[in-house]
Amino acid sequence: MLTIALPKGRIAQDTLKIFEKVFKKPFVFDDKKLILETGGFKFLLVRSQDIPAYVLHQAADIGVVGLDVLEEQDADLTRLLDLGIGRCRVCIGMPKNKEFDFSLPEIKIATKMENIARKYFSQKAVAVKVIKLYGSIELAPLVGLADAIVDIVETGSTMEQNGLKIVETISNSSAHLVCNKNSFVSKKDEILALYSSIKEAIS
Ligand code: PRP
């Protein structure tokens, strides 16, 4: 049996729809349940940032996770396939009425994605102070906590409705199928069979 960690929310629903298409049977979690065992698979509902930990420690063989989370955590997992769902961008945002002031000795950046932010600005040789937050990132520049943010943009409406503009796209993201390296050896046939049928279903 393969154990598959899914990120709670729309990506989990979209992934289960792919499984329904492949196996022609329903894959539905009962209300509030975090484990679904059906069709020879065990699915786990996990917070998206926790998916790499479940797969890395082999509590799950396979995970579905955004490229942004993989890059932020730099987890040692095998990337199998881009599922083409959960598309979003990692962007720099700031108040519409302001411009980047490179003369500041230190630009304050609020973000959930500290590593991506640090790497990006160090490549540009811009000195930043990174303030780690856990959510509602768009609030930070509105109340003087930060000059700008590095955050996920999906529709763009959160930035828009809070008077922020996108000043740069750092990277594009979508949900990927990833695999534990030991599982890839010990359950190779099962994993490759699943990989092939999912690849066919989404193409
Ligand atoms: C993410 C992200 C933005 C929002 C972007 O937050 O951090 O706030 O979605 O989506 P949009 O471009 O479609 O408006 P999430 O919903 O994960 O909530 P959080 O801020 O609590 O992490």
Side-chain angles (χ1 to χ4, degrees):
M1 185 187 283
L2 287 177
T3 301
I4 303 172
L6 301 177
K8 281 182 175 175
R10 224 183 56 216
I11 294 179
Q13 298 311 321
D14 289 349
T15 307
L16 292 171
K17 273 190 213 138
I18 297 173
F19 274 78
E20 290 185 349
K21 191 173 166 191
V22 170
F23 296 98
K24 300 189 174 40
K25 68 187 290 300
F27 286 82
V28 185
F29 275 84
D30 287 339
D31 188 36
K32 303 286 180 193
K33 283 261 175 80
L34 298 173
I35 299 180
L36 164 68
E37 240 183 271
T38 186
F41 299 101
K42 188 194 269 188
F43 295 95
L44 314 177
L45 271 193
V46 172
R47 181 93 195 255
S48 67
Q49 290 90 342
D50 295 337
I51 299 266
Y54 277 81
V55 181
L56 190 66
H57 300 292
Q58 219 175 3
D61 303 301
I62 286 177
V64 173
V65 63
L67 206 52
D68 55 310
V69 174
L70 280 180
E71 278 171 11
E72 175 64 20
Q73 299 190 15
D74 198 20
D76 190 19
L77 305 172
T78 300
R79 291 183 195 182
L80 294 173
L81 188 62
D82 181 351
L83 294 176
I85 56 178
R87 288 188 190 282
C88 60
R89 296 184 284 160
V90 179
C91 294
I92 302 172
M94 65 185 304
K96 278 183 181 162
N97 57 359
K98 292 195 177 147
E99 295 302 326
F100 244 109
D101 182 358
F102 289 103
S103 67
L104 287 173
E106 205 174 49
I107 298 170
K108 284 188 283 173
I109 303 290
T111 187
K112 288 185 251 195
M113 293 169 287
E114 285 178 284
N115 296 326
I116 290 176
R118 282 214 176 82
K119 191 169 159 198
Y120 180 80
F121 287 106
S122 84
Q123 280 168 353
K124 298 259 169 194
V126 175
V128 292
K129 179 179 170 60
V130 174
I131 300 166
K132 163 87 179 180
L133 297 177
Y134 293 86
S136 299
I137 313 298
E138 293 84 354
L139 182 60
L142 307 181
V143 295
L145 178 61
D147 301 302
I149 62 172
V150 168
D151 199 17
I152 296 294
V153 174
E154 203 180 326
T155 62
S157 67
T158 312
M159 281 216 197
E160 178 63 35
Q161 288 187 30
N162 289 289
L164 303 180
K165 64 183 172 189
I166 294 169
V167 289
E168 199 132 352
T169 297
I170 295 180
S171 59
N172 291 293
S173 177
S174 57
H176 280 56
L177 202 65
V178 295
C179 177
N180 174 281
K181 292 197 162 171
N182 293 325
S183 298
F184 194 58
V185 175
S186 61
K187 299 184 180 180
K188 190 165 190 172
D189 293 347
E190 276 175 275
I191 289 171
L192 287 181
L194 180 65
Y195 161 86
S196 304
S197 34
I198 289 184
K199 194 170 176 201
E200 200 186 310
I202 62 173
S203 62

